[in-house]
Amino acid sequence: MQDVLHALFFVVAFGALFLGVMLAEYGYTRHQGKTGVYHLRETVANLTTGFSYKVVDGIAIALFIQAFYLWVYDYGLQWNPELSVLSVLALIVFIDFCFYINHVLMHKVRWFWNVHVTHHSSEHMNFSTALRQNFTFALSGSWLFWWIPAALLGFDKNWVLLAIEGNLVYQFFLHTEQVRKLGWLEKVMNTPSHHRVHHGSNPKQIDTNFGGIFIIWDKLFGTFRSEEDAGEIKYGVTRMPAKPYNPFYLQVHDWVDMFKDVWRYKDLRILYKHPDWAQQHYGTQADTDNR
């Protein structure tokens, strides 16, 4: 119960921080004479999906994710390094690499894309977009690729929790059009410029810039695309959800479409193939969400 209360405390504390930042961005853009940055119905949907995601995720971490982590830890290297600047940096870099792998899988495997499509389905880029998440994340198993490698190495679970939450907090600040280029930081760090490309739905923008804190993974593995080379960015997915302001629909519609395709074609490969595979393999009747 104590872990659940801690999880809910994080939801409230960071929720207040994020709301404050969103209000500041809204006030700044209004002061600059910019309109159309925030849209009330979309912002409410983003806040609602973000709240439901974080509540379910926090309870899942408290109830079974950390328990599974400890079970795996007993079979791993049990490194458990002393607290130091180097060990903290090693954990931050390692967790970000695990996020990169997890993020790539969420784009390449339909089962995981069902969770992630919610985040990409906004047609606008502002700080509220960062909160457009999906409560089924904890139920999809995607977290295994983020948590379990650290358990096998032997990092303390509380350190890992802080590193993951810190990674997510950093990513919140990437969702804005108000911050342009950041000089030399663009070479190493993920920045709003890089992340704007990631949220684009034009061909040169899809499946690029997967990093969380660092952009070095994308440059190493060939998934990097600079904003200058991406063309005009069109936010969203290529087939937008039919009910863009319904928080529940936004989080479950792709699951429904996937299972419809599995039933229609009697093909379990749809579960683990690319999100567009059913459409490409069986034709345009598939319910897959083009990107």
Side-chain angles (χ1 to χ4, degrees), residues 141-238:
S142 179
W143 56 269
L144 288 166
F145 301 98
W146 205 0
W147 282 80
I148 300 310
L152 291 171
L153 275 184
F155 283 107
D156 180 87
K157 71 176 179 63
N158 294 319
W159 289 24
V160 172
L161 175 60
L162 289 173
I164 288 175
E165 293 297 337
N167 193 291
L168 291 173
V169 170
Y170 180 91
Q171 290 186 55
F172 171 85
F173 292 97
L174 300 176
H175 295 80
T176 183
E177 292 183 308
Q178 310 316 311
V179 177
R180 305 315 296 177
K181 288 290 189 176
L182 295 176
W184 65 268
L185 287 174
E186 303 281 341
K187 298 180 182 298
V188 178
M189 309 298 291
N190 197 7
T191 65
S193 173
H194 298 327
H195 203 61
R196 287 192 287 269
V197 177
H198 177 74
H199 273 261
S201 62
N202 286 329
K204 292 180 72 173
Q205 298 148 18
I206 292 173
D207 291 349
T208 60
N209 300 357
F210 293 105
I213 294 176
F214 302 105
I215 203 64
I216 54 176
W217 316 120
D218 292 282
K219 294 186 175 183
L220 282 172
F221 298 113
T223 53
F224 175 71
R225 177 83 66 186
S226 69
E227 195 169 20
E228 294 81 3
D229 189 42
E232 182 180 356
I233 297 176
K234 179 183 178 183
Y235 299 118
V237 289
T238 56

